Amino acid sequence: MSEPSVSRPRRWDKPFSLEAGSEQEMTDAGVEELLQQPPFSEIDASGFKRSLPLHDILKNDARIVGFDEGDIIVRRGDWGNSAFFVLSGTVRVELERGESSLPDEILGRRRSRVKSLWESIAQLWRNHREPEVRAVAEVSGSSPPLQTRMTRGRTRIYLQEVSAVLDKYRTARLEAGHWFGELAALGRTSRVATVFSEGVSQLLEIRWQGIRDILRHDASGGLKRYIEDAFRERALAAFLRTDPLFQGCSTELMQRIVDQVEFQTFGNYDSSKPFKELNSNPEQNLESGEPVIIHEGEVPRGIIMIRSGLARITQQYYQGRRTIGYLSPGQIFGLDEIRTSINSSSPLPCQTQLSAIGHLNAVLVPAELVAEILQQQMTTQNGSEQSKESPARQTVKIQDEALLSQLIDRNYVEGTSLMVIDLDRCTRCDDCVRACATAHDNNPRFIRHGPVLNQFMVPSACLHCVDPVCMIECPTGAIFRDLGQGDIVINDQTCIGCAQCASNCPFDAIRMVDIRDASGDLIVDSKTRAPLTQATKCDLCIDQRGGPACESACPHDALFRVDMQDAARVEEVFAR
Amino acid sequence: MKQLLIQYRYRLSTFLVLVVLILSGTWLYSLTLAKTAFASGTLLLTCILILAAYQWRKKLSFLALGNATAWLQFHIFVGWLSCVLFLLHIGFHVPDGLLEFALFLTYSFVFLSGVLGWLLSRIIPYRLLSRGEQVIYERIPVHRRKIQETVEKLVSDSLKSEEGTAVADFYHKHLEDYFAGSRNQVRHILHSRRHRHQLAQRVVDLQTFLNEREQETMRQIADQIQLKDDLDYQQSLQSVLKFWLFVHVPLTYTLILFALFHTITVCAFASTSG
């Protein structure tokens, strides 16, 4: 019997422009036309590999998309997979950031609403006995909520009255020749603004894989410069000022810092692969899997401030390296060495080594400028107070280095709400699971079982990662970061059950479940008769009055949630 | 740890202050020649109702009623306080009436089962972590069944190899019953490993009579014996943690019923009893 044989799928078997929602197929002529105009004409095509020419990248990783009046192009808080270049027409960027911004309902998001006191108590008898019950109307899309329409072959959320929105909310206009969305796509962060079309517009959308390759091979560095300049111009100063070190900087000094900062990128950007590899083989790390940012014994050229991703701090220990801490976004490495160097005649080399876990973006602030800031602070009257480290800035350290190492190797340091059970206190009463079930229509959203590190068990529950790779490939944006709390939640109304999030999650914290109607019957697809599935996960009881029910239900203080980016909290809970 | 110590000291001081206040209040009240039993009884009934409310807090975990840890600490605190009130109420002697005696016994059992549960919840988690895989209680039978199947397969494979029946005979004589269900529960609770040692010794004794292949099979079976024993250990201790509540909670409701009946009776006959 012969084995079934198919040709191995290749990267560009399905060009981006053939995916739903594209205006037209990218043709050779269309690409040539693009290459004639800036910024593409400024890219040096000679540096690209023969197997990966610029022309083919644009042809396969880019597409032209059209939008009608009011169509939402990207939503604030969504995960960015692509960048946009305005070819024609005008788009509007929402400038407001607080409560005055566009409300969730008109952006097609589930309204986060905390249950009333009565609704909370009624859960005791109103919860369904059958598992995973959904309202059929919501699943079938016949419930009213979203303002959606078919635009050029794609379902889009739109703003009904653009003029009224423009009157009410502050926006900026972007016209042909402008880029947007590139920082979120490349920085692995959520979109910081909502962008919608004002009138009819045509945009070139490039998926991040394409931008990544252009950045890698463009010898002239035109696009890279553009993206770096955009970050420098739009966000760098605000990012630096999140650290107390830069808060007292004069405008003139800050401008010099902004001008001289270097951007650095380390590690593999590809989807969730690095995290999954780390999880499947915790032994393989450091030398083999983690690119070194600063070697032990090297004199630092400046301080490293992490923009996105996580970094491991290690020290030589006999023939190997011992993990002694880690850094998360916003934290700094190398400051102590520079501070000590100011008072000594020779520069102090690093006592530890910094390496990137997975993909990492960082900025390097030159040592001379840091020395200038420190000297300025020392001369000011309250200098000593300013130089104190805030808890968020400290390197995350745990006295038990073996435990720390395991937490990093298993990538639990990604968690902003990591569930941990102290087995020395846990009486296995299951009150946490029962409370979770009560808060979720009798469907517990975690399993009280998982790896045991020392006496701490990490159950199978969503970590609410700082870099949630589960969100990367969700086609409908059903899994999103709640704008209020930053928690990652799933909107049952828009989850199509594709399981991308579940397969991307390195911690197996997302489960696909067959859904049922109120009478307990499985809801099936009208054509195939196959049961419909949806993704479910811990949502930190976002709609409950008392916060995460599991945590407050534990009578022995054994179950706790911990933000692994919060150095003081991590130290406190793991030292108990 | 330092913070925990401070908390304990704070709780103990508060408890002692309250006990002194209750004792001096009772003494001062007795100077008026009034019956202190009414006051202590009312306070005791209130304490019992507060103690029972903890069970309801557990059911309303989704409400912002404070975390269960704080409630449990308060529950324990009030529990000890109720003991002082109870002793005052009964005048430090065993009551002789039938209802009063039943009430005395019920309270004593509820209190002692509470203290026992409190001790168990402090001791057992450490011991659970010391042995075996951390298995969810409801899934223990599934794991045990898997172990049993593994051993049975090893035994049947040894028979297929036509090298003798020593392993199978040993299994039927010493292990069949052992693998059939949970065993040595009391020994596990008492932290005794005697049964395990005995079984291991029997395996060692047999090894000298086996060929190389059979020895390997016995080694694998010995591993499974250890796994099964660890599983039994987990089940026994987890059972204790779960089932003490089945004594404590129903007795609490019985106590409330008796106490209410006692209160009604006392109030009804208050004028005649003086």
Side-chain angles (χ1 to χ4, degrees), chain A residues 180-453:
Chain A
F180 64 88
E182 72 287 347
L183 295 179
L186 288 169
R188 224 198 256 286
T189 54
S190 56
R191 308 281 190 194
V192 292
T194 298
V195 183
F196 58 93
S197 183
E198 185 185 18
V200 176
S201 61
Q202 203 174 43
L203 276 66
L204 183 78
E205 183 181 5
I206 309 183
R207 47 188 175 195
W208 65 261
Q209 291 89 343
I211 308 174
R212 175 197 61 188
D213 289 338
I214 296 174
L215 291 177
R216 267 184 196 161
H217 302 295
D218 175 19
S220 66
L223 187 61
K224 188 178 179 197
R225 262 198 310 279
Y226 174 86
I227 290 170
E228 285 181 0
D229 289 348
F231 179 67
R232 225 181 266 278
E233 187 189 328
R234 298 180 206 165
L236 182 57
F239 169 69
L240 291 172
R241 282 195 200 278
T242 55
D243 190 276
L245 178 70
F246 298 97
Q247 278 168 9
C249 278
S250 64
T251 319
E252 180 271 329
L253 180 56
M254 180 52 88
Q255 190 54 51
R256 276 195 291 137
I257 295 168
V258 166
D259 291 341
Q260 291 180 45
V261 152
E262 282 178 37
F263 297 108
Q264 299 185 329
T265 303
F266 301 90
N268 190 353
Y269 195 88
D270 293 340
S271 187
S272 57
K273 209 175 151 196
F275 304 112
K276 288 206 161 187
E277 277 172 1
L278 267 179
N279 276 10
S280 61
N281 184 11
E283 301 303 316
Q284 172 253 325
N285 52 46
L286 298 174
E287 307 304 328
S288 52
E290 297 179 359
V292 177
I293 303 169
I294 297 183
H295 286 96
E296 187 175 342
E298 188 182 330
V299 175
R301 289 194 297 122
I303 55 166
I304 298 282
M305 190 166 169
I306 313 293
R307 263 178 72 196
S308 62
L310 294 158
R312 186 199 298 260
I313 302 170
T314 57
Q315 205 163 35
Q316 186 75 34
Y317 188 68
Y318 297 112
Q319 301 306 312
R321 301 207 68 79
R322 182 169 60 176
T323 302
I324 57 163
Y326 67 94
L327 296 180
S328 51
Q331 291 179 323
I332 278 176
F333 182 85
L335 185 60
D336 290 339
E337 284 80 358
I338 294 174
R339 188 178 278 146
T340 314
S341 300
I342 294 174
N343 302 323
S344 67
S345 53
S346 58
L348 183 73
C350 288
Q351 307 300 303
T352 52
Q353 176 171 296
L354 189 70
S355 54
I357 307 168
H359 179 261
L360 181 136
N361 279 311
V363 294
L364 185 141
V365 184
E368 308 78 55
L369 291 172
V370 177
E372 204 174 317
I373 298 170
L374 292 172
Q375 270 161 350
Q376 242 182 37
Q377 284 183 355
M378 278 188 272
T379 50
T380 54
Q381 208 171 2
N382 57 351
S384 56
E385 282 170 27
Q386 280 185 347
S387 61
K388 273 182 191 168
E389 287 194 354
S390 69
R393 189 171 127 196
Q394 291 164 7
T395 304
V396 186
K397 287 176 180 167
I398 302 173
Q399 277 193 336
D400 184 341
E401 282 155 1
L403 173 65
L404 175 69
S405 188
Q406 285 192 70
L407 286 167
I408 297 176
D409 290 345
R410 290 175 182 270
N411 220 31
Y412 289 138
V413 287
E414 273 282 322
T416 61
S417 199
L418 180 75
M419 184 192 279
V420 182
I421 296 178
D422 184 348
L423 292 176
D424 274 349
R425 297 183 183 198
C426 174
T427 60
R428 283 71 164 171
C429 63
D430 270 338
D431 277 355
C432 50
V433 182
R434 267 193 292 277
C436 179
T438 310
H440 293 95
D441 199 13
N442 278 339
N443 303 295
R445 294 298 183 219
F446 76 99
I447 300 170
R448 189 181 58 77
H449 194 256
V452 179
L453 320 174

Side-chain angles (χ1 to χ4, degrees), chain B residues 108-163:
Chain B
S108 304
F109 278 123
V110 172
F111 177 75
L112 291 174
S113 65
V115 174
L116 179 71
W118 176 63
L119 288 171
L120 291 174
S121 67
R122 293 279 179 290
I123 298 163
I124 292 183
Y126 284 100
R127 290 173 62 181
L128 279 174
L129 192 57
S130 67
R131 263 178 70 183
E133 196 190 338
Q134 302 303 307
V135 185
I136 293 172
Y137 184 75
E138 287 74 17
R139 293 198 53 83
I140 288 177
V142 179
H143 284 253
R144 195 165 43 226
R145 181 74 202 150
K146 275 185 192 162
I147 291 173
Q148 189 183 14
E149 282 168 5
T150 308
V151 174
E152 282 173 357
K153 189 170 181 307
L154 284 168
V155 173
S156 66
D157 286 351
S158 78
L159 283 173
K160 279 178 203 161
S161 65
E162 295 174 1
E163 285 185 341

Side-chain angles (χ1 to χ4, degrees), chain A residues 117 120 123-124 423-428 431 435 438 448-449 452 455 457 544 546 552-557, chain B residues 4 54 57-64 67-69 72 121 125-126 128-129 134 136 138 238 241-242:
Chain A
L117 183 64
S120 295
Q123 290 176 127
L124 286 174
L423 292 176
D424 274 349
R425 297 183 183 198
C426 174
T427 60
R428 283 71 164 171
D431 277 355
T438 310
R448 189 181 58 77
H449 194 256
V452 179
Q455 82 266 32
M457 175 191 276
Q544 300 291 331
S552 63
C554 178
H556 302 284
D557 197 21
Chain B
L4 269 179
Y54 173 59
R57 159 65 187 82
K58 280 183 156 190
K59 291 194 190 304
L60 300 172
S61 54
F62 43 81
L63 293 180
N67 63 45
T69 307
L72 179 63
S121 67
Y126 284 100
L128 279 174
L129 192 57
Q134 302 303 307
I136 293 172
E138 287 74 17
Q238 287 196 42
L241 275 176
K242 285 190 191 300

Side-chain angles (χ1 to χ4, degrees), chain A residues 167-187:
Chain A
D167 287 343
K168 197 171 173 186
Y169 304 101
R170 217 156 57 88
T171 60
R173 179 180 274 132
L174 290 182
E175 285 166 342
H178 279 91
W179 286 90
F180 64 88
E182 72 287 347
L183 295 179
L186 288 169

